Amino acid sequence: MASSSRNSNSSSGTTAAAAAQIQNSSSEDELLQIQRKRKRMESNRESAKRSRMRKQQHLDELTAEVGRLRKGNDQINTSIAITTHHLLALEAENSILRAQALELSQRLQSLNDILEYINATNLGACEIGELAGVRTASHDHFLNPFSSLGHHVNQPIIAASEAFQY
């Protein structure tokens, strides 16, 4: 019996050792799983941190681009305002110049009409005087003040726009 009790002790020791070994193996597996889980969690944290940093960098770049675009937009709006102001000034000046040109054209036409009338009247007087043998009408400066102008009387008056500056 003594040997049987040793055998049972021995077999129960072997069983206990096996159980302890299984328990150690199970503990090691759990430890490995816990370490893997911690490593995965740390890796995920680092990945999320990098993702947040990239997102923040992208947001900063977009914010800077918005600032640049707003500044460019302000410059364009200022340029448009200045150009519009110049356009309005030029349109006003153009209206004034057109009115002055129309007035000068009407004056010129009136003067040309007067010259045409005077020339027609003088030619008629000269013809009548020459037919009657009297040459006083065309040579009398008091009666014909335009006779001293000579051959320039028959030419129309032409005015340059630069001559009349207001």
Side-chain angles (χ1 to χ4, degrees), residues 71-104:
K71 184 178 179 181
N73 206 10
D74 289 344
Q75 289 174 344
I76 290 170
N77 285 336
T78 301
S79 176
I80 288 172
I82 290 170
T83 303
T84 302
H85 178 72
H86 287 300
L87 173 67
L88 293 174
L90 289 173
E91 284 178 344
E93 184 180 358
N94 196 13
S95 293
I96 291 169
L97 291 174
R98 282 188 178 157
Q100 289 174 347
L102 180 63
E103 181 183 348
L104 291 174

Side-chain angles (χ1 to χ4, degrees), residues 8-164:
S8 78
N9 278 344
S10 161
S11 86
S12 72
T14 317
T15 314
Q21 194 176 22
I22 289 174
Q23 198 171 18
N24 283 342
S25 161
S26 172
S27 294
E28 286 177 10
D29 284 344
E30 285 178 19
L31 274 174
L32 281 174
Q33 286 179 353
I34 290 172
Q35 286 176 347
R36 285 182 191 147
K37 188 175 179 180
R38 284 182 186 165
K39 189 176 180 180
R40 199 168 48 248
M41 286 174 61
E42 184 64 31
S43 174
N44 286 347
R45 274 191 210 109
E46 291 296 321
S47 178
K49 184 178 179 181
R50 286 190 305 270
S51 177
R52 285 190 302 273
M53 288 174 68
R54 280 192 307 270
K55 187 176 179 181
Q56 184 63 43
Q57 182 181 6
H58 184 64
L59 183 63
D60 292 343
E61 289 171 358
L62 288 176
T63 303
E65 185 176 358
V66 165
R68 285 191 305 272
L69 290 174
R70 282 189 176 152
K71 184 178 179 181
N73 206 10
D74 289 344
Q75 289 174 344
I76 290 170
N77 285 336
T78 301
S79 176
I80 288 172
I82 290 170
T83 303
T84 302
H85 178 72
H86 287 300
L87 173 67
L88 293 174
L90 289 173
E91 284 178 344
E93 184 180 358
N94 196 13
S95 293
I96 291 169
L97 291 174
R98 282 188 178 157
Q100 289 174 347
L102 180 63
E103 181 183 348
L104 291 174
S105 175
Q106 290 170 347
R107 284 183 184 178
L108 180 62
Q109 183 60 45
S110 295
L111 291 173
N112 283 334
D113 289 346
I114 291 169
L115 283 176
E116 188 177 312
Y117 175 76
I118 290 171
N119 286 336
T121 305
N122 284 342
L123 286 177
C126 285
E127 290 174 5
I128 293 171
E130 288 176 4
L131 288 176
V134 179
R135 299 181 53 103
T136 58
S138 62
H139 295 290
D140 189 356
H141 294 288
F142 181 72
L143 296 176
N144 189 3
F146 295 105
S147 65
S148 64
L149 295 177
H151 64 280
H152 300 292
V153 174
N154 292 331
Q155 295 187 3
I157 298 173
I158 299 173
S161 62
E162 297 88 25
F164 301 101

